[in-house]
Amino acid sequence: MPNRKLIPDVIKDQQLVCLPPEASVQDAALLMAERRVAALLVTQGRSLKGIFTERDLAARVVAAGRDPATTRLAEVMTASPDTLGPDAHAYEALDLMERHHYRHLPVTADGESDGTVMGIVSIRDLFAVVRAHLEDEIRDREAFIFGSNYSASAPP
């Protein structure tokens, strides 16, 4: 995991899910449901303005009693979110997400919160990276202990 960069090792061939700040929360919820994502990027052109997540929907819209059809994303999004650049490593994203208790992190060309959007990394993406790294570690250790011809499905 230490050498895995956000782009292209963690996120690749990603189709961005974006809406402008003027879009309604209802539009965002419909798009999120259609694309089966828990967060979308709020952009003006390719420039990041914020992020809107299921958590924002629950706390800032539903719990606050706001009308999703008339509430604009600009009113309830997380503006100027933390970001990382594409060359950042997976462990940097994981550390940032753990420290600040969020599950989605935008990736911008320059790592700035108002930069050009390149992608979004989720805790699920990072879990897959950690899992693959641990599986590689286990295979390497088993090969060292039992010999390079060792197969987990066959007895040593």
Side-chain angles (χ1 to χ4, degrees):
M1 181 167 120
N3 296 327
R4 304 222 174 141
K5 292 186 178 182
L6 292 181
I7 296 178
D9 300 327
V10 179
I11 53 176
K12 50 188 163 278
D13 303 325
Q14 187 178 66
Q15 291 198 355
L16 296 177
V17 181
C18 304
L19 283 175
E22 307 81 39
S24 73
V25 168
Q26 185 172 12
D27 292 337
L30 289 169
L31 183 58
M32 290 164 69
E34 177 186 309
R35 295 285 190 91
R36 301 187 61 166
V37 295
L40 60 78
L41 299 168
V42 182
T43 58
Q44 199 73 56
R46 295 281 292 169
S47 178
L48 180 66
K49 298 300 176 190
I51 185 171
F52 183 72
T53 67
E54 289 175 330
R55 188 178 292 170
D56 294 326
L57 178 62
R60 297 178 180 172
V61 180
V62 176
R66 297 180 112 168
D67 181 358
T70 60
T71 303
R72 302 288 154 225
L73 287 177
E75 301 170 48
V76 293
M77 69 184 183
T78 300
S80 301
D82 289 336
T83 62
L84 287 175
D87 290 335
H89 291 93
Y91 69 86
E92 294 174 84
L94 190 58
D95 180 58
L96 196 57
M97 293 166 91
E98 181 183 16
R99 279 190 286 128
H100 296 286
H101 306 286
Y102 40 69
R103 297 179 301 238
H104 300 89
L105 187 63
V107 178
T108 59
D110 56 5
E112 298 296 324
S113 63
D114 61 348
T116 300
V117 172
M118 296 189 72
I120 184 169
V121 64
S122 72
I123 197 71
R124 181 178 293 155
D125 298 328
L126 295 173
F127 171 76
V129 170
V130 170
R131 180 179 177 174
H133 177 72
L134 291 174
E135 288 172 349
D136 290 346
E137 286 285 315
I138 289 170
R139 261 192 304 282
D140 290 348
R141 288 170 196 236
E142 286 175 342
F144 176 77
I145 292 168
F146 300 112
S148 60
N149 295 328
Y150 174 73
S151 168
S153 59

